[in-house]
Amino acid sequence: MSLEEIYKREEALLEGHFLLSSGNHSKFYLQSAKVLQNPKVAEELAKELASRILESGLKVDVVCSPALGGVIAGYELARALGVRSIFTERKDGTMTLRRGFEVSKDEKVLICEDIITTGGSALEAADEVESRGGEIVGFSALANRGFCKRVGTDTTPDLKCKLPKEKPLFALDDFIFEIYTPENCPMCKEGSEAIKPGSRN
Ligand code: ZN
């Protein structure tokens, strides 16, 4: 079953008029929490992602996720890889390692998100890990929104992608759909209002 089929089966591929955390608008939204609420599904997806990472030969000591979205995916991926799982969270707007989480000097750290859109939060988590002495060996996510190039595809990264090009990005699949600035959003032009996904339930 494809990743898109799994998201549809779990009613996690939403259609409407959404305000994304980046401030952009979209007709679709991937509600990964609905997929990951089933531990069996989360485990299976993480195992598949882990097998692709292991096949590549990448060495990972720790998985680090930006909270909140990446935490479950990162935890399951760490379990599948047999390594530690930590997360960064925002404090006064800055992505920070708290709760006693530490990264040893030169520990090899893989950043994990549920979805990589432009990779902004993932990059902030990576910067925090590097400032603590860790070595970022790559990025990972269940799904890639198609702006960044993932391992196994030969697409050209979009200018919106913020991830460093020299580091690999592992994801199970690409979900490609348009995002719009509020000024260019066709749904706004039709007079509807963008909502924050999940804000109504
Ligand atoms: Zn809009």
Side-chain angles (χ1 to χ4, degrees):
M1 193 180 268
S2 74
L3 192 65
E4 183 173 342
E5 285 166 338
I6 291 169
Y7 270 71
K8 281 183 176 162
R9 183 189 71 197
E10 304 297 333
E11 299 179 346
L13 177 55
L14 311 182
E15 191 169 352
H17 181 192
F18 299 110
L19 173 61
L20 307 177
S21 55
S22 60
N24 292 314
H25 293 188
S26 171
K27 193 175 178 183
F28 298 97
Y29 185 76
L30 298 163
Q31 188 60 275
S32 298
K34 281 196 83 175
V35 173
L36 298 172
Q37 70 180 322
N38 301 301
K40 271 280 165 219
V41 179
E43 180 186 17
E44 281 166 23
L45 294 175
K47 271 187 180 168
E48 172 61 26
L49 186 57
S51 77
R52 294 188 195 183
I53 292 164
L54 292 170
E55 265 171 35
S56 80
L58 192 74
K59 171 104 175 54
V60 178
D61 298 318
V62 188
V63 173
C64 179
S65 306
L68 191 65
V71 171
I72 296 175
Y75 189 85
E76 285 295 332
L77 180 62
R79 186 208 302 272
L81 290 170
V83 301
R84 236 162 71 233
S85 171
I86 59 175
F87 59 85
T88 60
E89 58 199 296
R90 286 191 195 283
K91 184 170 192 302
D92 304 325
T94 306
M95 213 48 114
T96 317
L97 269 182
R98 306 180 71 195
R99 303 171 195 269
F101 287 146
E102 284 174 9
V103 182
S104 316
K105 188 164 166 20
D106 298 328
E107 246 184 334
K108 297 183 187 312
V109 183
L110 177 70
I111 303 294
C112 182
E113 267 279 23
D114 54 347
I115 312 279
I116 289 283
T117 305
T118 61
S121 301
L123 188 61
E124 286 178 60
D127 288 345
E128 166 68 353
V129 165
E130 281 182 331
S131 78
R132 305 290 191 106
E135 180 196 347
I136 299 298
V137 292
F139 295 84
S140 58
L142 298 178
N144 174 36
R145 282 280 285 98
F147 298 115
C148 299
K149 181 199 168 304
R150 71 183 165 94
V151 172
T153 58
D154 52 10
T155 51
T156 310
D158 188 277
L159 288 175
K160 293 190 189 82
C161 180
K162 293 177 182 152
L163 298 183
K165 290 176 182 63
E166 70 279 9
K167 302 272 166 85
L169 166 64
F170 296 90
L172 294 173
D173 210 345
D174 296 325
F175 274 107
I176 297 172
F177 44 77
E178 284 292 316
I179 59 173
Y180 309 98
T181 60
E183 301 76 50
N184 294 324
C185 175
M187 285 91 70
C188 282
K189 287 199 175 100
E190 286 167 11
S192 83
E193 192 187 334
I195 59 159
K196 268 191 167 174
S199 63
R200 288 188 183 170
N201 37 43

